[in-house]
Amino acid sequence: MIYTVTFNPAIDYVVRIDHPMVVGAVNRAAGEDCVLGGKGINVSGVLQQLGCESVALGFVAGETGKWLERGLAAQGLQTDFVQMKQGMTRINVKIKADLETELNGAGPDIPEDARRAFEEKIDKLTEGDILVLAGSIPASLSQDTYEKILQRLQGRGVQTVVDATRDLLARVLPYHPFLIKPNNHELEELVGVKLNSDEEIAQAAGYLQKRGARNVLVSMAGNGALLRDENGAIHRIGCPKGKVINSVGAGDSMVAGFVAGYQKTHDYAYALRLGTACGSATAFSLGLARKEDIEALLETI
């Protein structure tokens, strides 16, 4: 089974205004939507489109948490969140006007008993399971939480995927994650060097492998992606043609496609193709990638 983790999920309240927003005055919306998400939940959503079952893990609280769970269930997603008694799952307000404005909620504090309950769920993972850790860690959790999770899973045959930045990613490398997915700018931060060519990116990915990562997938937005697999092979792929509408969730979609592709075929080249198709399908859409769009793009790569 594939498990995804979203420590601080959210309900995004998206408001569209067809005129310039006036601060300090009443502004009337032309339309609004509620989007349920978080990086791990995005991965689960795209996995579902690909016919792969997953379970979304994390923390929810209050009536907004119950609403989020009901909404994900209505979308056909399986969840196993830790229910917290205090606080509320956050609401992020996204205002789409002449200028885009965001007001992101903080989310609930995660107490010790909730953390232990989450660890009990992690302890149930067994050989052959895949765990996807994506995004930042809330302030109420230790910043070495990812590291502790991978340490907890050592020797149990669970494949881990980590999509994080800077120290969060660097700290997990000694635990040999199956896949890490920095973008090219994040890779530069990790190695401390400006990367100007595919050869330099491949060398930097090799450096991360020497530090422990098995497979390094480097996304490069409109320039495609580069994969250095655990056998030392370099796979380079371009990006299909299309109009970028919204890049939010594109990286999560690429992770979902790669994991699904590898789980199905154990072929890194195919996993990269499917990951690229999923990431692009999301970038070319208002929401997350849909099955039909993924399949259409896959034929063009």
Side-chain angles (χ1 to χ4, degrees):
M1 178 62 77
I2 302 171
Y3 295 86
T4 65
V5 175
T6 306
F7 283 130
N8 199 10
I11 298 168
D12 286 351
Y13 179 51
V14 184
V15 182
R16 296 184 300 279
I17 299 176
D18 57 9
H19 57 79
M21 188 176 74
V22 181
V23 177
V26 174
N27 295 268
R28 299 197 180 278
E32 58 252 314
D33 297 292
C34 282
V35 180
L36 311 177
K39 291 180 70 63
I41 290 172
N42 292 342
V43 174
S44 283
V46 176
L47 284 171
Q48 182 199 43
Q49 292 294 310
L50 296 170
C52 293
E53 287 189 34
S54 71
V55 178
L57 304 175
F59 302 91
V60 292
E63 289 301 318
T64 49
K66 294 176 183 177
W67 182 20
L68 183 137
E69 280 196 290
R70 289 195 300 270
L72 294 177
Q75 295 173 20
L77 298 186
Q78 297 182 56
T79 64
D80 190 17
F81 293 119
V82 175
Q83 297 271 354
M84 297 188 295
K85 297 178 182 179
Q86 302 296 323
M88 60 177 280
T89 291
R90 62 187 175 139
I91 298 175
N92 299 330
V93 180
K94 315 282 187 179
I95 301 174
K96 308 288 187 180
D98 54 326
L99 297 174
E100 291 195 8
T101 303
E102 298 188 5
L103 178 60
N104 289 343
D109 288 336
I110 301 171
E112 181 65 19
D113 62 334
R115 185 187 63 77
R116 287 196 301 269
F118 175 79
E119 290 175 348
E120 290 174 2
K121 296 180 186 296
I122 292 294
D123 287 342
K124 295 177 182 177
L125 271 63
T126 59
E127 185 171 357
D129 287 338
I130 299 172
L131 179 68
V132 180
L133 302 170
S136 59
I137 296 174
S140 57
L141 286 177
S142 170
Q143 292 302 296
D144 63 357
T145 295
Y146 282 175
E147 180 184 359
K148 289 179 178 177
I149 290 173
L150 267 67
Q151 186 179 42
R152 199 176 190 94
L153 292 172
Q154 268 199 312
R156 289 169 42 193
V158 177
Q159 293 185 321
T160 53
V161 176
V162 182
D163 182 9
T165 60
R166 299 186 180 180
D167 288 347
L168 291 181
L169 185 56
R171 286 173 175 167
V172 304
L173 297 178
Y175 301 96
H176 307 293
F178 169 72
L179 177 71
I180 61 172
K181 195 208 71 63
N183 63 36
N184 54 318
H185 303 299
E186 292 164 350
L187 183 60
E188 288 177 344
E189 292 176 344
L190 284 167
V191 300
V193 177
K194 182 72 174 175
L195 304 173
N196 299 304
S197 67
D198 287 354
E199 182 180 1
E200 291 178 354
I201 290 171
Q203 288 176 348
Y207 169 71
L208 297 186
Q209 284 182 321
K210 290 178 182 178
R211 293 180 61 184
R214 287 174 57 189
N215 299 285
V216 182
L217 173 57
V218 184
S219 57
M220 294 180 275
N223 291 322
L226 182 147
L227 170 70
R228 185 170 186 133
D229 72 31
E230 61 185 329
N231 302 311
I234 309 298
H235 308 264
R236 182 68 167 92
I237 196 167
C239 190
K241 293 182 179 179
K243 181 181 178 181
V244 175
I245 297 176
N246 183 11
S247 61
V248 175
D252 308 325
S253 302
M254 173 173 269
V255 168
F258 187 95
V259 169
Y262 185 78
Q263 186 185 54
K264 179 180 179 181
T265 66
H266 292 276
D267 182 327
Y268 286 123
Y270 177 77
L272 178 61
R273 284 182 60 224
L274 185 57
T276 301
C278 290
S280 299
T282 288
F284 301 160
S285 306
L286 286 173
L288 291 176
R290 294 172 299 179
K291 179 182 178 180
E292 57 269 27
D293 296 328
I294 296 168
E295 291 175 345
L297 287 176
L298 188 62
E299 292 298 320
T300 71
I301 299 175

